[in-house]
Amino acid sequence: MTGNQIMFIVFSAMIVIFSILTVTSRRILRAATFLLFVLISTSGLYFMLNFQFLAAVQLTLYAGGIVVLIIFSILLTSHIDEKFESAALLKKVYGAIASILGAVLVINTLINYTFVPSTEAAKDINMNLIGNSLISWGEQGYALPFELISILLLAAMIAAIVVAKKIKTN
Amino acid sequence: MTNFSYTVLIPLIPIFVFLFIGLTGHKMKPLVSGIIGTTGLAISFILSYFTAYQYFFNTEKINGAYQKILAVNITWLQFTDKLHVDMGVLLDPISVMMLVVVTTVSFMVHIYSIGYMKGERGYHRFFAFLSLFSFSMLGLVLATNIFQMYIFWELVGVSSFLLIGFYYEKPSAVAASKKAFIVTRFADLGFLIGILILSFNTGTFDFINLTTVGGPAMATGAGASFLGLSVMTWSLIFVFMGGAGKSAMFPLHIWLPDAMEGPTPVSALIHAATMVVAGVYLVARLFPVYALSAPDGLTVVAYVGSFSSLFAAVIACTQMDIKRVLAYSTMSQIGYMMVGVGVSRYGGEAGLGFMASMFHLFTHAMFKALLFLGAGSIIHAVHSNVMNEMGGLRKYLPITHITFLIACLTIAGIPFLSAFFSKDEILSAAFEHNRLIFFVQLFVAGLTAFYMFRLYFRVFWNKEPHYHHTPHEAPLTMTIPLIFLAIASIFAGYIPFGQFVSSDSIPFHSEIDWLHVAIPSIIVGLLGITLAFVMYKKESNLPDKMANSLKLLYVGAFNKFYFDELYLFVTKKIIFNYISRPVAWFDRHIVDGSMNGIAWITNAASIKIKGFQSGQLQQYAFVFVLGSLLLGILFSYFFIYLF
Amino acid sequence: MNTGIPLEYFLVMATLMFFAGVYGFITRKNLITILMSVELMLNAVNIMLLAFNRYLYPNQLEGHFFALFVIAVAASEAAVAIAIIINIYRSFHSIDVEKTDEMKY
């Protein structure tokens, strides 16, 4: 067993277990913490796959940004030691049916299909390449989605301000 | 060639005035709306006279004939290359003549109405409708093709409907307007069928194409025949049915007497001078087609006209309501015009009847408008329509009296007044072509003189009833049109009409046949007047004796020969019971029933399924996930074998 | 690059993560936890994208960039969603998804 394999087992076990805990935990702050663990493990996987830049983004943006945002909103809307009542049985059944059925279907499909890993040499992904790709077009150029994303982010920012603004009632 | 494109303004000004008064009239003083309406018409009036002058005196004639000028033409609806509907202005002698008639009478009626309608509710509405009517009538007169004419024909019908029902609070006025609309609409069905057959056969709507002598339209239309008459004849008889409805020819005349429920100026304008002669104008418009491809159609026109004129004249002798007498008189005179067109032939001297008919139309418009306006003035003074409540009015209404007398003398055919010339030319034409009709018309001429002077003596002489307040002469706005029209009635006969209007547009000179026509007609007219003088100059029991000795005829005529009752019987008892009721049942139970059923099913189904939309987000998500999984299963395990 | 781990392992693990998210989305009542479930699903997809990129097309960058864009979209989505959640809290005094069913029918 190589070190890689051990690392993969650890990360994937963490991801699966903490994912399930995230969606079942009855204390909301704990759920958020479990989500944080999932996200950190995910970034570990990215490192393993040699996507260092994305792993860094994952850490800063998800673990640093979104989770903090979520925790803030939890603090705004709930009591910290509030414990949810367990979900209704019917809902649990619905959720279980949908997720187990889906998982079985997808995994079945994945296993039955033979993927042929490429033998080509991997590209060396450095910041220079990423930066150039984001602002170039043509083959391997992503200027258009990049611009779209920038507009989307701007719109989201404005929308968030407008939506969350207190409506003055007279 | 002179440019005539300005003529499009003649009908357009009234429609703009209509829109203006109609939209803003309730905000202005009543008098202002009247003045605006009158000014608009004054402009049209002046333009019409200018057009007439330009057309008859400043436009070159080709081969001695007045040309048909297409002043304005716009393709309005283009269906295919051949089938298109145009809108435009067509100038030829009769349309120019009609322009003059319509704008003159309309202008006079506008002036008159300023005084007559004073203090009425809906003053501006009245003027708006008058303008609408003027627009429609002018559009009809200037139509370049039969379809445009049909459109304006219906518009004229609508404005007539609106104006008859002007006093819409009076049930009788509402009934009369409905009756007029339905009867003329029924006749227009015939007109439409006629148009369709005619255009199908000739392949054109256009008047110029249709009426070109020896043109392609007439040649293609000739062939086929149906029930012994050519298809062309049938189509023209159907077209004439529309004309007969508008012109109140027997048996579609029943609406005209009731139409007198409208204000008197309206009766003068629409139901005497202009709209009701539209039928004659229609036949005149298509005259070359009638004369050359369907002479049988003309015979029908002549007999219908002749019978209507006799029929109406007999009824007119017994009616007590002065406006109804005038209405029947109008019907009778239009019968004359129809006879004139009907006995005419195409071209030259043989076209005398056509010319005479147009001439009579012209003079009739003047003197009949005068009679109606005079009657309006009388009604204005005594507040009643019925002869029994009048008498001895000559002392109170001097101007009305004199102008009314002139009009009566004119219609009676006294020499050297206008109708003498026009009526005698019709009689001459009838004398040439159909002796039976000639004698009928001669007799009707006598009846005309009798019933007009009966009216005159009853109203202005005879015994004076007790008036609640002394009748007084009408204001100046009402007497000026009377004087103008009286002058026109006297002198219109001296226009050498044959120089302007003729069947083939080539001027010709006409002479009155003194021996065979003029002298008998004068004698008959004088006889009628004398009889009326003896019976009605002073109060006497002669009329009653007369009525008793001709009891059957008198009672029949007094009740209009029971035509209203006959129509009521046919519509109420037969059509309503045996056609309308099953149709209504079918509509209510089958058509509505199926629609209601569909609505009920939809309603019930939606009540059942609305529970699906619970507003529970997670339920939606669950269904969505299941759905996408189902699709995934279908695609990966079943559809894969399909491709 | 050979990590010694078959591609299927990544994919199966990501699938489990995804359907954990689906389960959470359907069963959770609190809107914020639902949002967390959504984040889980997005992350699962990201893992798949990157794994495919690395194993099947190592000399291209499609998966990498789309994962990047998904992260950006997720960020903006989280921002707007939280704004909406706060607004809902203001009007309903609760962020229970079962109580915000005013828009039914």
Side-chain angles (χ1 to χ4, degrees):
Chain A
M1 220 182 218
T2 62
N4 248 341
Q5 282 165 333
I6 294 169
M7 259 162 50
F8 176 76
I9 287 168
V10 171
F11 283 139
S12 54
M14 273 176 74
I15 285 176
V16 172
I17 291 165
F18 285 129
S19 294
I20 291 167
L21 284 176
T22 308
V23 297
T24 51
S25 161
R26 288 163 67 189
R27 285 179 189 272
I28 188 161
L29 211 53
R30 285 191 193 168
T33 319
F34 294 140
L35 179 67
L36 181 64
F37 292 153
V38 173
L39 297 175
I40 290 170
S41 318
T42 312
S43 79
L45 278 186
Y46 293 175
F47 275 117
M48 269 183 62
L49 286 171
N50 223 2
F51 290 115
Q52 287 88 354
F53 171 68
L54 217 57
V57 169
Q58 173 86 3
L59 274 181
T60 52
L61 220 123
Y62 262 113
I66 294 177
V67 171
V68 169
L69 199 61
I70 285 173
I71 288 172
F72 267 123
S73 60
I74 290 169
L75 295 178
L76 277 174
T77 55
S78 333
H79 294 290
I80 298 173
D81 16 273
E82 190 185 299
K83 204 174 170 188
F84 299 143
E85 57 216 85
S86 172
L89 185 68
L90 193 66
K91 270 184 142 183
K92 278 185 182 163
V93 172
Y94 281 154
I97 288 173
S99 47
I100 292 171
L101 205 69
V104 168
L105 180 72
V106 174
I107 291 170
N108 186 34
T109 315
L110 287 174
I111 287 171
N112 285 337
Y113 185 83
T114 353
F115 293 98
V116 186
S118 165
T119 48
E120 289 169 83
K123 214 169 209 169
D124 180 32
I125 302 173
N126 53 31
M127 282 312 290
N128 204 356
L129 179 65
I130 292 170
N132 275 326
S133 293
L134 277 180
I135 56 167
S136 61
W137 52 88
E139 192 76 9
Q140 298 287 319
Y142 297 90
L144 179 66
F146 183 64
E147 290 303 323
L148 284 179
I149 281 297
S150 64
I151 291 170
L152 177 73
L153 285 172
L154 179 68
M157 193 168 76
I158 295 170
I161 293 167
V162 170
V163 170
K165 204 173 63 178
K166 255 206 180 106
I167 301 158
K168 282 198 188 86
T169 46
N170 38 1
Chain B
M1 204 169 88
T2 331
N3 183 5
F4 278 108
S5 50
Y6 62 85
T7 47
V8 75
L9 286 176
I10 297 173
L12 283 184
I13 289 170
I15 188 68
F16 285 133
V17 169
F18 162 68
L19 291 175
F20 183 69
I21 299 181
L23 292 174
T24 64
H26 57 283
K27 292 206 179 107
M28 52 176 98
K29 278 187 181 164
L31 193 61
V32 178
S33 62
I35 288 170
I36 292 173
T38 312
T39 316
L41 238 132
I43 300 170
S44 288
F45 172 75
I46 293 163
L47 277 176
S48 299
Y49 275 81
F50 184 65
T51 311
Y53 173 75
Q54 289 278 325
Y55 184 78
F56 285 122
F57 297 108
N58 278 352
T59 308
E60 273 179 58
K61 284 181 258 191
I62 299 175
N63 295 333
Y66 292 107
Q67 291 305 296
K68 292 187 164 67
I69 296 173
L70 209 54
V72 176
N73 198 32
I74 301 161
T75 303
W76 180 47
L77 297 173
Q78 178 98 41
F79 296 114
T80 61
D81 279 347
K82 269 185 83 179
L83 180 65
H84 53 89
V85 178
D86 294 357
M87 283 286 180
V89 171
L90 174 70
L91 295 180
D92 72 345
I94 55 171
S95 73
V96 173
M97 188 271 299
M98 282 299 282
L99 267 189
V100 169
V101 171
V102 172
T103 52
T104 308
V105 177
S106 185
F107 183 47
M108 289 304 138
V109 166
H110 270 80
I111 297 177
Y112 183 86
S113 305
I114 292 178
Y116 185 84
M117 297 301 287
K118 193 171 222 156
E120 296 271 2
R121 280 179 57 204
Y123 193 87
H124 74 269
R125 186 161 56 92
F126 181 79
F127 277 93
F129 288 164
L130 272 191
S131 293
L132 176 65
F133 171 77
S134 306
F135 159 71
S136 324
M137 192 66 207
L138 291 166
L140 190 157
V141 165
L142 294 171
T144 59
N145 59 72
I146 200 161
F147 210 86
Q148 184 188 353
M149 193 168 190
Y150 183 69
I151 292 167
F152 282 101
W153 189 270
E154 294 301 339
L155 269 176
V156 167
V158 169
S159 7
S160 160
F161 167 79
L162 291 171
L163 283 165
I164 296 171
F166 182 74
Y167 298 119
Y168 55 85
E169 286 147 344
K170 245 166 70 183
S172 60
V174 174
S177 63
K178 274 200 307 205
K179 188 172 177 181
F181 194 68
I182 292 169
V183 173
T184 51
R185 198 64 200 80
F186 174 72
D188 294 345
L189 177 68
F191 188 16
L192 184 60
I193 295 172
I195 290 175
L196 295 179
I197 300 176
L198 186 65
S199 308
F200 179 74
N201 272 314
T202 56
T204 179
F205 285 130
D206 198 78
F207 281 133
I208 293 181
N209 284 341
L210 270 176
T211 57
T212 307
V213 177
M218 277 192 197
T220 49
S225 73
F226 179 71
L227 287 184
L229 293 173
S230 74
V231 170
M232 204 70 166
T233 312
W234 278 109
S235 73
L236 288 172
I237 288 174
F238 273 120
V239 168
F240 174 64
M241 183 178 158
K246 244 342 158 233
S247 292
M249 289 288 97
F250 179 86
L252 296 166
H253 63 278
I254 53 160
W255 65 272
L256 186 61
D258 290 18
M260 297 302 137
E261 289 292 340
T264 310
V266 169
S267 309
L269 175 59
I270 301 185
H271 306 118
T274 55
M275 186 189 84
V276 286
V277 297
V280 183
Y281 181 72
L282 174 66
V283 177
R285 185 34 97 218
L286 292 171
F287 186 71
V289 193
Y290 272 101
L292 298 175
S293 355
D296 293 339
L298 276 187
T299 315
V300 172
V301 172
Y303 278 109
V304 169
S306 180
F307 183 75
S308 306
S309 99
L310 176 63
F311 180 81
V314 171
I315 297 178
C317 293
T318 61
Q319 294 299 308
M320 295 308 286
D321 182 325
I322 58 172
K323 284 181 75 182
R324 276 176 194 260
V325 173
L326 292 178
Y328 280 109
S329 154
T330 305
M331 184 179 154
S332 173
Q333 298 298 311
I334 294 167
Y336 262 103
M337 298 172 207
M338 288 292 185
V339 166
V341 188
V343 298
S344 179
R345 297 290 172 268
Y346 187 76
E349 291 286 325
L352 175 66
F354 178 85
M355 183 283 271
S357 170
M358 291 295 108
F359 193 14
H360 197 57
L361 192 162
F362 185 79
T363 55
H364 172 257
M366 302 301 162
F367 67 71
K368 190 48 69 67
L370 173 57
L371 281 171
F372 265 107
L373 296 183
S377 173
I378 295 164
I379 295 166
H380 190 71
V382 300
H383 301 291
S384 167
N385 282 7
V386 188
M387 277 186 212
N388 287 342
E389 296 174 19
M390 300 169 188
L393 282 173
R394 68 185 185 285
K395 282 172 286 187
Y396 304 109
L397 308 172
I399 298 174
T400 311
H401 170 230
I402 290 174
T403 51
F404 204 84
L405 178 60
I406 290 170
C408 287
L409 288 171
T410 310
I411 192 174
I414 296 305
F416 313 117
L417 296 171
S418 62
F420 168 72
F421 298 100
S422 53
K423 187 188 273 185
D424 284 0
E425 272 162 2
I426 291 179
L427 289 175
S428 304
F431 186 74
E432 293 282 322
H433 296 284
N434 192 330
R435 289 289 161 88
L436 173 64
I437 290 182
F438 168 73
F439 285 116
V440 171
Q441 295 315 113
L442 198 61
F443 179 59
V444 172
L447 279 181
T448 309
F450 171 71
Y451 68 69
M452 285 317 300
F453 274 88
R454 166 176 175 266
L455 176 64
Y456 168 73
F457 285 122
R458 280 300 301 258
V459 172
F460 289 103
W461 299 77
N462 217 316
K463 187 181 71 117
E464 204 172 305
H466 174 71
Y467 293 118
H468 293 297
H469 59 91
T470 322
H472 56 90
E473 185 60 277
L476 208 58
T477 48
M478 286 167 68
T479 48
I480 285 175
L482 289 180
I483 294 165
F484 180 90
L485 286 170
I487 293 168
S489 300
I490 297 171
F491 294 107
Y494 294 101
I495 298 170
F497 221 69
Q499 297 298 317
F500 301 121
V501 175
S502 61
S503 54
D504 50 4
S505 302
I506 299 171
F508 74 104
H509 187 69
S510 59
E511 284 282 337
I512 292 173
D513 182 351
W514 284 92
L515 180 63
H516 294 107
V517 178
I519 291 177
S521 110
I522 295 167
I523 291 170
V524 167
L526 288 176
L527 265 179
I529 296 173
T530 317
L531 193 60
F533 180 80
V534 173
M535 284 168 74
Y536 296 106
K537 168 84 185 340
K538 293 216 178 69
E539 197 188 17
S540 69
N541 56 358
L542 269 175
D544 294 334
K545 274 188 191 160
M546 226 12 210
N548 276 331
S549 60
L550 293 169
K551 196 160 179 77
L552 200 65
L553 184 65
Y554 178 81
V555 173
F558 188 76
N559 290 307
K560 304 154 206 163
F561 292 109
Y562 299 102
F563 260 90
D564 281 336
E565 284 75 8
L566 181 67
Y567 273 87
L568 276 183
F569 177 74
V570 170
T571 51
K572 282 229 165 101
K573 290 274 155 57
I574 297 174
I575 295 180
F576 284 7
N577 273 347
Y578 295 103
I579 298 175
S580 307
R581 216 159 270 166
V583 170
W585 184 89
F586 182 82
D587 186 59
R588 213 163 288 146
H589 291 91
I590 312 288
V591 179
D592 287 6
S594 59
M595 289 303 129
N596 288 342
I598 289 170
W600 183 85
I601 289 168
T602 313
N603 194 18
S606 58
I607 285 172
K608 291 268 183 276
I609 61 173
K610 78 176 174 185
F612 284 128
Q613 291 208 317
S614 58
Q616 293 296 334
L617 182 69
Q618 289 165 322
Q619 227 174 55
Y620 300 168
F622 173 65
V623 174
F624 167 72
V625 171
L626 275 194
S628 50
L629 287 181
L630 196 69
L631 276 181
I633 292 170
L634 284 178
F635 274 110
S636 45
Y637 294 103
F638 296 105
F639 288 173
I640 204 154
Y641 302 113
L642 290 180
F643 303 112
Chain C
M1 188 191 87
N2 190 358
T3 51
I5 305 154
L7 172 62
E8 284 82 359
Y9 284 29
F10 278 95
L11 299 180
V12 168
M13 186 270 297
T15 307
L16 290 176
M17 187 179 172
F18 183 88
F19 282 100
V22 169
Y23 178 81
F25 194 93
I26 292 176
T27 53
R28 288 295 208 173
K29 273 181 168 181
N30 191 305
L31 276 171
I32 293 173
T33 48
I34 288 176
L35 180 65
M36 294 198 274
S37 309
V38 174
E39 300 295 343
L40 277 182
M41 290 192 259
L42 286 167
N43 259 286
V45 172
N46 268 357
I47 294 175
M48 283 198 180
L49 280 172
L50 290 173
F52 280 132
N53 188 348
R54 177 56 71 211
Y55 281 84
L56 302 183
Y57 305 99
N59 63 340
Q60 286 176 19
L61 285 176
E62 247 98 20
H64 176 265
F65 278 110
F66 275 94
L68 188 63
F69 295 138
V70 168
I71 291 173
V73 170
S76 43
E77 174 244 331
V80 176
I82 285 172
I84 292 172
I85 289 169
I86 287 175
N87 225 349
I88 287 174
Y89 183 74
R90 249 188 233 139
S91 24
F92 290 87
H93 298 287
S94 155
I95 46 171
D96 188 336
V97 72
E98 286 176 359
K99 287 183 186 157
T100 57
D101 58 354
E102 298 269 289
M103 290 211 289
K104 68 178 169 185
Y105 307 143

